[in-house]
Amino acid sequence: MLKNWTNIFIYQLKHNKLFTILNILGLSIGIAGLIFAILYWNDEYSYDKWNSSKDRTFIVMNNVGKGTIFATNSAITAPLLKSSTPYVENYCYFNDFYTKETVQFNGKTEIIDKIFSAQKSFFSFFPFEFKYGNAKNVFQDPQSIVFSEETAFRLFKNENPVGRQVKYADKMFVVRGIYRIPGKSVVMPNAITNSIEEDIEAGKDHWGFRFGLIVKLRKNSDAPLVAKSLDEIFIENNYKKQAKNEGMTLKMFIKTYGEPMKSQLLPFENSRLHKGSYPFPEGTGNLQFLQILMGLSILILLLSIVNYINLATANAVKRAKEVGVRKIIGATKEQIILQFIFETVLTMLFAVLLALVIVEISLPFYNQFLDKELILAGSQFYVQLILIFILVVVVSGVFPAVYISNFELSNVLKGNFSHRKSGLWLRNSMLILQFSIAVFFIIGSFIVYQQVQFMSEKDLGFNGTQLMNISFRAQNDKGQFERYESIKQELKKIQGVEAVSVGAFSIGDNWFSKGGLHYKDTPEVVVQQLGSDFGMLEMLDIKLAKGRFLSEKLVADTISNVLLNEVAAKTMNEKDPLDKMIDWQGEKHKVVGIVKNFHYSGLDTDITPMIFFHINAQKWTQGNIEYITVKVSPKNMQQTIASLKSFWGKKVDAEYPFEYSFIDKNFAKTYKKFEDQRNLFALLNVVVILIAIFGLFALASFSMERRLKEIAIRKTLGAETNILLKELSKQYVIFFIIGFLIGIVPAYVLLHKWLESFAFRINITLLPFFIAFVSLLILTLTIVLVKAYQVTKVDVLQYLKYE
């Protein structure tokens, strides 16, 4: 029986080559798209699955109001929590960033990136496997360091380095262990130290939010109780003390300065896809992009399945007599269903194999697009592939098989089957669905393109061209700002350098410092704190709305005078905020200028209140200096950069490489993920249109070939070609219009929701809908009219000689 079915399938392949090619190609493209999405999905959800500590681990976050959530904590919090509640089993402070430093061993210097610092309890939360050393005692003192297996090989080759000394950050550290990470993790450092202990000790009496914090609870259900305990600790040890110092009751203090922050415990498991503030240096995945990719891939596979069903039911007309003869010689309905499902299985096997070939060939480009290292492997993936295969076979194979098996024997043998309406209704409905999906993709692609174009062309409120951020590594001989001042004048002497300044911030980066600002009776406002040297704002070409910039000619400008941006000034509820005194960092400061709003970290976020001050006014910010900003002339820029590199290696840092980035390019990275979404939509748009073309062309071919005798008769009666073309194409235009009207509704709703994730966005106009209508109508008419023109050239005698 299987041999007979296989022979029939091969016979059909030979006599319906176009039908078969279009079917397999359409299905393979749809399956390949879903495979790509699944690989990405599996990778994002694989983070820390190996981690046995993930179930009871929570990340401590702090909601300070008005949508601002800190992913960092004070050094006071965890010890007080551990001593005051029975719910916490353990805790760990860590830095929420990686550092990049030189490590020296036996006269050899290696530049190591992704260096992480955490408390000694870190390995109870992240049970890395240790090749050398023991996780329980690797951090015996603040000068202990452990390396990943790959990094250790660079430094020590194959020897066991435990007990060896290395020079790191101008200090001697002892190697205590070599580890390997079992799988993907939100922390994947090349080296780990516990030097954070010194910072925690220094900040144990302060409420500055500096460190990431994770806690391990005895029971998951205790999380709300722990959050409540954290809130009580903050009120008792911070708000009440501040209120007492200012001679206020707690109630009065809250009324004056606003509600105290509220702690939140974010479950560690699957936190990689958390949207918002996040303390781990590997960052979060793009959940929205992942959902969009998965949703669109499923939609494309659905389109491929619809295309297959449509073509299968259309082809059924040609096989009606075959089914009729089989029924006469005794074939049961179940046997016919199984036969056609068997043919679907064989078709799907070809489609899946072709899809795997497409994925394997395209995977390097896909990895580059996502900045991933995905591979076609893993038991989870193969199980998913088998499930996809079964699902597609069931959905696309069973219905056509049942449809074909229900052919009425009397109608088939009389030759009346081709005039039945039920099959036509089904195929036409699915064609309309194909049009709807294609309309959705064209509209979506255009709107995403418009939004990304809007972001790339919008006035950002600053000018980052010609401004280089040069990496400025900290050294222990003296402070960052003092080092900067000692080389500032030397930098200005280099030909092509127009200006030099420094800031404790970097536009385009997600890192920034925040603090509370208060004015008279207005509630406390959380402001972004941007300390810099004189001239920094002028270099950035940030405009003044009122007042003046800070000047080195006025001593007060390095002590107590500040500037605000327009958003911060508005919170003061003061008609003229200039020369008004505000409370910030526990001291009085005078507002001497208001700068116009500018974008700091991307157009998907609102412009936050900002305060600008000279970096000497708040000494603590000097530790945040990571770059020196240099404005270079556009003339002979490469020569200027070469001179800067030479100077840097000789006079500033001979061990560390000269690294720089331009501020405008750095900011452009903030909307790269949206450019990826634009490119994804554009690519999938091409795929959808190709599949739709396959389906439309094949269906039009089947439909018009069924009407060849009708066309021959009408030509005999004198019908002109243009009249025939109009009649043959009219129904497809109607189907397209219906599909367009159906497709615009989800397109508008979903794209409008997507745009809501942007603080600055375009308005949806009629243009994308008009372009979708015109382009798809032209494409439809082109395909249909070309095929219609072919069939109007039939040989009349060939179809009428037996009549």
Side-chain angles (χ1 to χ4, degrees):
M1 182 174 66
L2 289 178
K3 182 180 179 181
N4 183 38
W5 289 355
T6 304
N7 290 334
I8 294 173
F9 177 73
I10 294 172
Y11 175 84
Q12 291 296 327
L13 287 182
K14 291 179 180 178
H15 289 79
N16 295 283
K17 293 184 180 68
L18 178 63
F19 164 82
T20 304
I21 291 172
L22 293 180
N23 252 337
I24 292 175
L25 190 57
L27 283 169
S28 63
I29 292 174
I31 294 170
L34 189 56
I35 288 174
F36 279 129
I38 286 173
L39 290 176
Y40 183 32
W41 182 279
N42 290 347
D43 182 78
E44 287 297 332
Y45 276 95
S46 68
Y47 279 75
D48 294 291
K49 291 298 180 186
W50 55 270
N51 193 333
S52 58
S53 299
K54 64 182 181 295
D55 298 336
R56 294 182 291 120
T57 299
F58 290 82
I59 306 165
V60 180
M61 316 280 275
N62 297 294
N63 188 342
V64 296
K66 296 186 177 180
T68 301
I69 296 178
F70 288 171
T72 51
N73 296 264
S74 71
I76 301 176
T77 306
L80 290 174
L81 178 67
K82 183 74 164 59
S83 62
S84 61
T85 65
Y87 314 118
V88 177
E89 182 179 302
N90 203 353
Y91 67 86
C92 178
Y93 280 114
F94 57 91
N95 283 335
D96 60 343
F97 54 86
Y98 290 134
T99 57
K100 186 176 181 180
E101 263 291 354
T102 57
V103 175
Q104 298 174 344
F105 174 70
N106 278 353
K108 180 182 179 182
T109 300
E110 288 282 347
I111 298 171
I112 309 298
D113 61 354
K114 298 178 70 173
I115 300 174
F116 187 64
S117 186
Q119 288 187 299
K120 61 183 179 181
S121 56
F122 173 78
F123 292 110
S124 68
F125 287 87
F126 291 87
F128 294 172
E129 298 172 358
F130 270 78
K131 180 178 180 181
Y132 300 116
N134 190 319
K136 294 180 180 179
N137 56 21
V138 290
F139 287 148
Q140 300 173 12
D141 54 67
Q143 271 67 53
S144 296
I145 190 169
V146 293
F147 292 102
S148 69
E149 199 170 21
E150 296 80 5
T151 306
F153 181 79
R154 290 168 56 189
L155 287 165
F156 315 107
K157 298 305 178 184
N158 292 316
E159 68 174 289
N160 180 355
V162 173
R164 297 295 189 106
Q165 286 190 325
V166 297
K167 188 178 181 182
Y168 160 67
D170 293 329
K171 292 182 181 179
M172 298 308 296
F173 279 72
V174 179
V175 180
R176 301 294 187 187
I178 304 300
Y179 63 84
R180 64 171 65 96
I181 305 175
K184 290 286 184 72
S185 176
V186 292
V187 182
M188 292 192 290
N190 292 321
I192 308 173
T193 75
N194 68 330
S195 55
I196 193 176
E197 295 284 7
E198 295 177 349
D199 298 327
I200 292 171
E201 180 64 24
K204 65 181 181 180
D205 297 323
H206 303 286
W207 278 94
F209 295 103
R210 295 183 55 193
F211 311 105
L213 174 62
I214 47 178
V215 294
K216 187 181 294 183
L217 306 187
R218 301 188 189 282
K219 294 188 297 184
N220 282 349
S221 56
D222 290 338
L225 298 173
V226 173
K228 184 179 178 182
S229 297
L230 286 166
D231 293 342
E232 291 171 353
I233 288 170
F234 184 76
I235 291 174
E236 290 293 327
N237 295 274
N238 187 337
Y239 252 45
K240 281 188 177 181
K241 288 183 178 180
Q242 289 191 60
K244 184 179 180 180
N245 291 338
E246 297 200 19
M248 298 182 183
T249 64
L250 178 62
K251 189 174 182 180
M252 288 174 60
F253 188 83
I254 291 174
K255 184 178 180 181
T256 303
Y257 290 99
E259 290 292 327
M261 72 173 194
K262 298 291 184 182
S263 295
Q264 297 178 353
L265 263 63
L266 176 69
F268 175 70
E269 190 170 15
N270 294 329
S271 65
R272 158 78 179 174
L273 292 171
H274 168 72
K275 184 179 180 181
S277 299
Y278 196 64
F280 292 110
E282 289 292 330
T284 56
N286 190 341
L287 179 60
Q288 184 190 57
F289 181 73
L290 178 62
Q291 291 172 335
I292 289 173
L293 180 61
M294 183 60 74
L296 296 184
S297 299
I298 292 173
L299 199 59
I300 289 177
L301 181 60
L302 175 63
L303 179 65
S304 302
I305 292 172
V306 166
N307 190 59
Y308 178 86
I309 294 174
N310 218 354
L311 294 178
T313 53
N315 189 47
V317 176
K318 289 186 174 183
R319 302 185 65 177
K321 288 186 178 180
E322 172 197 332
V323 174
V325 170
R326 287 178 61 81
K327 283 189 173 183
I328 288 174
I329 61 177
T332 63
K333 181 179 178 180
E334 288 74 19
Q335 287 176 324
I336 293 172
I337 291 174
L338 289 174
Q339 176 196 345
F340 281 94
I341 290 177
F342 175 76
E343 292 183 7
T344 300
V345 169
L346 293 180
T347 303
M348 290 302 161
L349 281 174
F350 286 123
V352 168
L353 291 174
L354 181 57
L356 291 173
V357 171
I358 293 172
V359 171
E360 186 65 35
I361 294 172
S362 308
L363 202 53
F365 306 100
Y366 186 66
N367 281 330
Q368 186 178 7
F369 173 68
L370 293 176
D371 193 22
K372 291 283 187 180
E373 296 180 359
L374 307 178
I375 57 173
L376 274 174
S379 57
Q380 181 186 17
F381 167 71
Y382 292 122
V383 170
Q384 290 165 333
L385 186 62
I386 292 170
L387 290 175
I388 291 171
F389 177 81
I390 294 172
L391 180 65
V392 174
V393 167
V394 170
V395 174
S396 60
V398 172
F399 185 84
V402 173
Y403 170 74
I404 293 169
S405 69
N406 284 329
F407 288 172
E408 294 179 14
L409 189 59
S410 57
N411 287 333
V412 168
L413 297 181
K414 289 178 182 178
N416 297 327
F417 178 77
S418 63
H419 301 290
R420 290 183 57 185
K421 302 295 181 183
S422 59
L424 290 175
W425 177 86
L426 172 67
R427 291 192 292 278
N428 294 340
S429 298
M430 292 197 172
L431 182 60
I432 290 170
L433 179 59
Q434 286 181 312
F435 278 131
S436 299
I437 295 174
V439 165
F440 171 81
F441 271 89
I442 294 174
I443 293 173
S445 182
F446 195 82
I447 290 176
V448 171
Y449 170 81
Q450 283 184 311
Q451 175 62 24
V452 175
Q453 195 69 16
F454 166 77
M455 291 192 295
S456 63
E457 296 176 353
K458 189 181 185 302
D459 180 12
L460 301 174
F462 71 90
N463 184 3
T465 57
Q466 301 173 236
L467 296 185
M468 293 171 57
N469 270 346
I470 304 175
S471 294
F472 190 39
R473 186 174 68 122
Q475 294 180 0
N476 290 330
D477 55 347
K478 53 183 174 179
Q480 285 288 78
F481 189 70
E482 288 78 8
R483 291 180 59 225
Y484 152 75
E485 287 189 312
S486 68
I487 64 174
K488 178 180 178 180
Q489 298 306 320
E490 294 294 322
L491 286 169
K492 285 184 175 181
K493 293 176 184 178
I494 296 174
Q495 187 174 0
V497 173
E498 297 182 350
V500 180
S501 191
V502 74
F505 59 88
S506 177
I507 291 178
D509 287 343
N510 287 325
W511 185 93
F512 44 76
S513 171
K514 288 194 173 184
L517 179 149
H518 180 68
Y519 176 71
K520 289 185 178 179
D521 296 329
T522 58
E524 186 177 47
V525 177
V526 176
V527 293
Q528 190 172 335
Q529 303 169 143
L530 297 105
S532 66
D533 190 16
F534 298 113
M536 187 69 180
L537 300 184
E538 293 92 323
M539 280 175 58
L540 287 165
D541 200 22
I542 293 171
K543 306 298 183 185
L544 270 174
K546 289 182 180 180
R548 63 176 179 83
F549 288 113
L550 298 178
S551 170
E552 58 188 350
K553 297 177 181 179
L554 300 172
V555 176
D557 282 2
T558 62
I559 301 173
S560 59
N561 291 346
V562 298
L563 292 86
L564 302 176
N565 69 346
E566 291 173 310
V567 176
K570 189 176 180 181
T571 64
M572 295 172 62
N573 293 324
E574 183 72 49
K575 186 176 181 180
D576 185 7
L578 289 181
D579 298 324
K580 300 299 187 294
M581 302 300 292
I582 60 171
D583 291 310
W584 172 63
Q585 290 291 336
E587 298 175 354
K588 298 289 184 182
H589 292 78
K590 183 194 285 188
V591 178
V592 297
I594 307 297
V595 302
K596 291 191 174 181
N597 293 330
F598 66 92
H599 294 277
Y600 181 88
S601 56
L603 277 76
D604 55 326
T605 57
D606 286 310
I607 296 175
T608 59
M610 299 177 184
I611 186 168
F612 306 87
F613 54 95
H614 190 268
I615 205 161
N616 272 333
Q618 299 291 331
K619 297 289 186 182
W620 59 268
T621 61
Q622 295 181 12
N624 295 331
I625 295 175
E626 295 182 356
Y627 306 97
I628 291 179
T629 304
V630 177
K631 184 175 184 179
V632 295
S633 170
K635 295 180 181 179
N636 300 319
M637 186 177 288
Q638 291 304 317
Q639 184 178 340
T640 304
I641 294 173
S643 298
L644 284 167
K645 182 178 180 180
S646 176
F647 168 79
W648 205 265
K650 293 176 181 177
K651 300 290 183 67
V652 181
D653 197 335
E655 295 180 352
Y656 199 76
F658 177 75
E659 295 179 340
Y660 68 91
S661 62
F662 284 93
I663 290 178
D664 56 341
K665 300 291 193 304
N666 195 45
F667 188 87
K669 295 176 184 177
T670 62
Y671 49 84
K672 181 184 181 300
K673 61 182 179 181
F674 303 111
E675 289 180 332
D676 291 344
Q677 292 181 19
R678 175 197 64 190
N679 297 337
L680 173 69
F681 242 117
L683 176 64
L684 296 184
N685 197 30
V686 173
V687 171
V688 166
I689 290 174
L690 278 175
I691 296 175
I693 288 173
F694 295 162
L696 182 61
F697 179 78
L699 192 61
S701 299
F702 279 120
S703 176
M704 292 177 189
E705 285 172 6
R706 289 174 56 249
R707 301 178 65 180
L708 288 174
K709 189 177 292 185
E710 173 196 339
I711 293 168
I713 295 172
R714 295 184 67 166
K715 287 188 69 174
T716 303
L717 297 176
E720 296 181 359
T721 300
N722 62 332
I723 300 298
L724 290 174
L725 291 176
K726 181 180 178 181
E727 283 296 315
L728 290 170
S729 61
K730 180 172 65 176
Q731 63 173 331
Y732 293 98
V733 174
I734 294 172
F735 296 153
F736 161 70
I737 292 173
I738 296 172
F740 175 80
L741 294 175
I742 295 172
I744 60 176
V745 176
Y748 177 83
V749 172
L750 294 176
L751 269 299
H752 186 270
K753 184 156 186 71
W754 179 76
L755 286 172
E756 286 178 353
S757 63
F758 297 89
F760 299 86
R761 55 183 178 267
I762 62 169
N763 293 316
I764 298 178
T765 63
L766 291 176
L767 183 60
F769 301 91
F770 175 76
I771 289 176
F773 182 86
V774 172
S775 59
L776 202 54
L777 180 61
I778 291 172
L779 188 63
T780 301
L781 287 175
T782 301
I783 295 170
V784 172
L785 288 176
V786 166
K787 186 61 187 177
Y789 184 78
Q790 290 177 348
V791 298
T792 58
K793 298 303 178 182
V794 298
D795 182 0
V796 174
L797 293 178
Q798 180 182 352
Y799 291 93
L800 299 182
K801 60 185 177 181
Y802 296 115
E803 298 295 326

